Amino acid sequence: MSEFRFPHRIAALRSVLSQNSRPDTDDAVDGMIVSYLEHGKYLTGFTGSNALVIITKDHALFLTDGRYDLQSSTEVPGFDRVILPPASDLALAAAQKVAALGIKRAGFETTHLTYAAYNSLAKNMAEIAPAVQLIGRTNVVEFIKAIKDADEIAALRVAIDAADEAFTHLQQIVKPGMSELDVAWELESFLRRVKGATRLGFDSIIGSGPNSAMIHGRPTERILGSSGGSEFLLCDYGCEINGYNSDLTRTFVVNGEPTARQREIYDVVKAAQLAALEAIKPGVIGKDVDAAARNIITAAGFGNNFNHGLGHGLGRLVHDQYGVFNATSELVIREGMVVTVEPGIYLDGWGGVRIEDDVLVTATGYEVLTHSTKEMVIL
Ligand code: GLY
Ligand code: MN
Ligand code: MN
């Protein structure tokens, strides 16, 4: 049997399975049913749309259907492949394989198994091998994939550099009179045609004037500068290249010199963003990094206008890991994580500012992977 495509990922999963997830919890398992397709792909290298993986100390099974027989024969080295007839119940097949492998304590992914799939798994498990215990595990593959290896970091740099170049491109072409949709299209076409992105990481968030207060607003036909005075233009976008994503936000001023209020709010967000970066290092707790930014925004009187978490994990998914930095996150930050740092202030009916970087946690602190300026840019 050939070697796994990502042997370190399998080894990391095997080492956490046999341990309790917390000292006060009895959830060590001798086999893990990985039902979330994204996680199956992460562990194996598979690129298709249907798969389930079972990992024990000594075995690695990959279950898919007949459409993916040929594809998985090259994409999934190292695994025993099980090719099921079309429309098979993966949960039933999983129960059969768990029994055949002699697993006694079978872990399943609590946050990634539908109610129907869990019911099928539990019912079939009870019928086939009633002694097997099904044990819910949370954040197992997430814990492993939060740490990026050298190839992943290299891929992230490419996607992030493309987003930086798109920021430079925006500075060259955006002017009052364009619509938000024009800006979104320029971004998409630059990232795809010039930078070779496979797709946008998410629908670009382009908000001008009062629309910039919409944290996740959609671009509209609103014309930049149509208020008659200077306005914010918030651009939050990213792209996927070679399977990895970037996620960048910068907020321009368009249509003239900023007002004192615009400068004040921009500077508070920038100071909060820099303070949060400075707080990042291995061992720090997620909520403490969030607080480094939030305290500055709150002290400036805008605590109620920063109504989202400070950041998330970034990788194969734009939101590769939720809840990394927020007011209640107990997550311990580790070397090798790639995360976003994205504080903002949003005033309903007036406008908003967000500044977002992508950041690698290093042995001693952090490296900002995004290189676009955070100085105010006036277009
Ligand atoms: N717009 C998605 C994000 O920045 O998280
Ligand atoms: Mn973003
Ligand atoms: Mn983000």
Side-chain angles (χ1 to χ4, degrees):
M1 178 71 58
S2 54
E3 180 57 283
F4 297 120
R5 180 109 169 259
F6 304 110
H8 52 297
R9 298 179 188 174
I10 307 300
L13 181 59
R14 283 179 165 151
S15 70
V16 298
L17 291 187
S18 54
Q19 302 161 5
N20 289 329
S21 59
R22 294 202 325 241
D24 58 347
T25 308
D26 177 25
D27 62 357
V29 296
D30 52 352
M32 185 75 200
I33 302 165
V34 179
S35 60
Y36 181 34
L37 176 64
E38 166 56 25
H39 289 170
K41 291 161 86 168
Y42 169 79
L43 292 170
T44 62
F46 180 58
T47 62
S49 70
N50 189 31
L52 184 145
V53 166
I54 302 177
I55 301 282
T56 72
K57 192 158 75 55
D58 303 314
H59 293 95
L61 261 59
F62 174 85
L63 285 66
T64 188
D65 65 71
R67 291 172 299 168
Y68 295 116
D69 189 359
L70 180 62
Q71 187 172 332
S72 63
S73 69
T74 52
E75 286 185 344
V76 186
F79 283 75
D80 290 325
R81 289 185 309 123
V82 180
I83 308 298
L84 300 165
S88 296
D89 180 352
L90 276 180
L92 166 61
Q96 290 167 335
K97 293 299 173 190
V98 164
L101 289 174
I103 296 170
K104 296 284 178 274
R105 291 167 64 88
F108 67 90
E109 300 187 280
T110 53
T111 41
H112 298 291
L113 203 57
T114 64
Y115 183 63
Y118 174 78
N119 278 344
S120 173
L121 180 65
K123 176 171 157 289
N124 287 300
M125 206 75 258
E127 284 171 14
I128 298 165
V132 173
Q133 278 179 272
L134 287 174
I135 296 174
R137 293 276 303 233
T138 306
N139 288 335
V140 178
V141 181
E142 287 89 338
F143 181 81
I144 295 161
K145 78 171 184 161
I147 306 299
K148 271 56 185 184
D149 63 32
D151 290 344
E152 293 184 289
I153 292 167
L156 281 159
R157 286 185 198 275
V158 171
I160 294 165
D161 286 351
D164 275 334
E165 285 187 45
F167 174 73
T168 302
H169 177 67
L170 287 183
Q171 290 181 62
Q172 289 159 358
I173 57 109
V174 170
K175 16 180 124 32
M178 289 172 76
S179 72
E180 294 167 357
L181 281 164
D182 291 335
V183 176
W185 172 242
E186 284 288 346
L187 257 179
E188 177 160 0
S189 114
F190 180 86
L191 287 165
R192 299 204 55 180
R193 293 197 337 176
V194 180
K195 299 313 301 174
T198 337
R199 58 174 72 91
L200 296 180
F202 50 94
D203 290 341
S204 300
I205 297 164
I206 309 294
S208 64
N211 292 350
S212 57
M214 252 178 290
I215 296 169
H216 274 182
R218 299 268 80 90
T220 72
E221 290 177 349
R222 184 181 186 280
I223 300 296
L224 311 187
S226 55
S227 65
S230 62
E231 315 177 332
F232 283 129
L233 171 65
L234 186 153
C235 300
D236 180 352
Y237 60 91
C239 66
E240 184 189 294
I241 301 178
N242 290 329
Y244 285 79
N245 286 279
S246 48
D247 187 8
L248 171 70
T249 309
R250 290 292 185 270
T251 307
F252 297 103
V253 171
V254 290
N255 205 36
E257 288 297 312
T259 64
R261 178 99 166 137
Q262 285 166 337
R263 269 202 193 283
E264 176 202 355
I265 288 179
Y266 191 94
D267 287 346
V268 172
V269 174
K270 190 172 84 170
Q273 210 266 352
L274 295 173
L277 292 175
E278 279 300 308
I280 295 177
K281 57 177 188 241
V284 73
I285 308 299
K287 66 181 178 189
D288 294 335
V289 178
D290 183 274
R294 203 169 295 279
N295 290 346
I296 288 176
I297 290 176
T298 302
F302 298 108
N304 292 330
N305 305 98
F306 173 23
N307 200 10
H308 58 78
L310 180 75
H312 52 87
L314 180 71
R316 291 168 48 93
L317 305 178
V318 176
H319 291 158
D320 214 46
Q321 188 176 22
Y322 286 105
V324 171
F325 299 135
N326 62 44
T328 57
S329 169
E330 297 290 346
L331 192 78
V332 179
I333 302 308
R334 292 174 289 152
E335 180 183 356
M337 287 181 165
V338 174
V339 294
T340 68
V341 176
E342 48 181 306
I345 294 177
Y346 314 91
L347 301 180
D348 193 9
W350 183 79
V353 175
R354 179 162 65 252
I355 299 175
E356 175 177 25
D357 280 334
D358 304 332
V359 180
L360 169 67
V361 183
T362 63
T364 52
Y366 65 93
E367 177 188 345
V368 180
L369 302 177
T370 315
H371 294 114
S372 297
T373 184
K374 280 174 246 186
E375 298 306 310
M376 186 181 262
V377 174
I378 303 167
L379 299 173

